[in-house]
Amino acid sequence: MTAHGTPRERPAAGAARAAVILAGVKTEDVKPEDADTVLFHTDGRTGVVTLNRPRALNALTHPMVIRIDETLAAWASDPAVQQVLIRGAGERGLCAGGDIRAIHDDAKAGNTASAGFWRDEYRLNARIARYPKPYVALMDGITMGGGVGVSAHGSVRVVTERSRVAMPETGIGFVPDVGGTYLLGRAPGHLGTHLALTGTAVGAADALLCGLADHFVPAERLPELAAALAGAPAHEVLPRYAGTPGPGELADRRGWIDRCYAADTVEEIVERLLGQGEPAAKEAAETILAKSPTALKVTLAALRRAAELGPLERVLAQEFRVSCNGLTAPDLVEGIRAQVVDKDRTPRWSPATLAEVTDADVERFFAPLGEDRELRLPPPDGLSRG
């Protein structure tokens, strides 16, 4: 809406089609409903982004990513927009991640559309992290994978009692991306390694503990919060709504988590977990052993390397390499097949055990893509200007 009107969602279909063409997506492949999958309006001083695929848990598609990035770029230089709010339609969650069925079909066919999607998605993640205005993310309900990417890099991250925040990629033969290895690598102690390998979803208290969120607001107060943001800056509004979440689980488990996940290899992590004599540690070991052995070893390596890379942009460039190289590995297609397509929940990983995954198998994921295929991101100062 305008600053004086009633909030109105605007698909902006023409701009979306133009952005899709620039991204290399064929115009004939753009469906009419793409215009409605993400909505934009201004409410007073706030630009509002609404992910609008509630039946698909607001999963991100390539056109959605392009339109969000294009709109954020425009709002960054618009003096009428003083802050941004992102939310999900429906009551189930902000965003469950990317459209992994599309990634499955692309990888199975040996195509490269997923690489194009990731390139634009990671650029969007970097823009959000360097956004020059307050970026308020309502991480209510399910916020996983790509949903973490469009929220947890923001400057004001709000969770509720319904929040379930996770990077569950190892369960589909993939590796945490969208800056997930950057975020988890900076969690206290080895909490991030625990979350990355197990794919565990955490609630509000644990998301705050791990640095994935900043504020807790009861879900029933989110409409009031959003309305208040129309007339005042986030830093003035939030103290009126923020509270203290119920107890989490990870703080009491820090002792064994830090001891076990400090190990150099996934095999040793599992061995330490099984030797703790703690039911929760044993459960974590069993959870890890059900994941893709290759994805587990690559994830651990990616986390450890991310800690040495510095800025988010360098970590995203590493994640882009890992993701693109993973397209040709068998576990990604198999994991999505088992969990999402056939839903038999019995993936046949290749290799099938941790012991069979060699150092060379892991290094292949970090191999250069070639000068013309690498992810090139502007330096942080360039991104901060939108």
Side-chain angles (χ1 to χ4, degrees):
M1 73 166 208
T2 64
H4 304 289
T6 302
R8 183 179 73 251
E9 311 289 8
R10 296 187 292 103
R17 288 175 64 84
V20 167
I21 293 170
L22 288 172
V25 180
K26 295 180 181 178
T27 308
E28 57 268 26
D29 292 338
V30 179
K31 301 178 177 62
E33 59 267 27
D34 285 337
D36 297 321
T37 56
V38 58
L39 307 172
F40 307 95
H41 74 274
T42 55
D43 188 5
R45 65 176 65 223
T46 302
V48 181
V49 180
T50 304
L51 307 181
N52 191 39
R53 299 183 69 207
R55 287 192 291 182
L57 283 171
N58 299 317
L60 296 169
T61 64
H62 199 166
M64 290 170 70
V65 165
I66 294 165
R67 296 185 60 217
I68 295 168
D69 189 64
E70 179 185 54
T71 302
L72 290 181
W75 281 345
S77 58
D78 184 347
V81 176
Q82 298 182 24
Q83 58 196 5
V84 170
L85 173 70
I86 186 167
R87 64 189 183 185
E91 297 185 351
R92 298 170 65 195
L94 170 66
C95 174
D99 189 341
I100 60 174
R101 278 182 175 268
I103 293 171
H104 168 273
D105 294 346
D106 183 54
K108 189 174 182 179
N111 296 328
T112 58
S114 296
F117 168 65
W118 290 324
R119 185 182 298 276
D120 289 326
E121 185 180 25
Y122 300 175
R123 284 174 174 165
L124 172 60
N125 302 147
R127 183 185 297 283
I128 290 168
R130 308 300 181 190
Y131 206 62
K133 301 176 180 182
Y135 181 97
V136 183
L138 302 185
M139 302 167 70
D140 184 35
I142 293 173
T143 305
M144 299 183 180
V148 172
V150 297
S151 59
H153 294 297
S155 56
V156 184
R157 305 162 302 173
V158 177
V159 286
T160 75
E161 73 279 4
R162 303 188 300 200
S163 295
R164 302 300 295 165
V165 183
M167 296 299 296
E169 285 78 8
T170 56
I172 57 166
F174 199 50
V175 176
D177 66 334
V178 299
T181 59
Y182 177 88
L183 294 165
L184 295 177
R186 283 154 179 76
H190 292 280
L191 292 176
T193 307
H194 170 66
L195 297 184
L197 296 184
T198 62
T200 299
V202 297
D206 289 332
L208 292 166
L209 173 64
C210 292
L212 300 173
D214 306 300
H215 306 279
F216 169 80
V217 175
E220 64 180 9
R221 303 204 69 188
L222 291 183
E224 298 174 54
L225 171 63
L229 287 170
H235 73 271
E236 294 181 8
V237 169
L238 271 163
R240 303 202 301 265
Y241 297 93
T244 302
E249 298 178 347
L250 295 181
D252 291 339
R253 299 176 180 179
R254 273 290 302 276
W256 63 259
I257 285 175
D258 287 349
R259 286 193 300 271
C260 296
Y261 290 93
D264 292 333
T265 66
V266 180
E267 291 95 326
E268 188 178 350
I269 288 172
V270 171
E271 183 179 347
R272 291 187 185 186
L273 288 169
L274 291 173
Q276 283 298 301
E278 292 273 357
K282 181 175 183 290
E283 181 182 351
E286 292 171 347
T287 298
I288 290 171
L289 290 173
K291 310 297 185 184
S292 159
T294 301
L296 290 168
K297 288 198 171 185
V298 176
T299 294
L300 184 62
L303 280 169
R304 301 276 163 89
R305 297 182 191 200
E308 304 296 326
L309 286 173
L312 171 65
E313 290 76 16
R314 292 181 182 174
V315 179
L316 287 168
Q318 174 178 272
E319 291 180 351
F320 187 72
R321 281 186 178 180
V322 171
S323 297
C324 290
N325 286 324
L327 273 177
T328 59
D331 280 3
L332 177 59
V333 170
E334 174 60 14
I336 299 175
R337 178 207 65 76
Q339 301 296 341
V340 178
V341 179
D342 296 338
K343 298 182 180 179
D344 58 29
R345 308 291 192 266
T346 56
R348 295 179 290 275
W349 305 123
S350 178
T353 67
L354 289 167
E356 295 175 274
V357 181
T358 67
D359 291 344
D361 292 333
V362 172
E363 284 303 318
R364 189 182 70 79
F365 283 78
F366 297 90
L369 302 173
E371 190 64 26
D372 59 337
R373 294 180 57 209
E374 299 285 0
L375 177 65
R376 305 293 182 193
L377 290 170
D381 286 346
L383 284 169
S384 69
R385 290 190 291 271

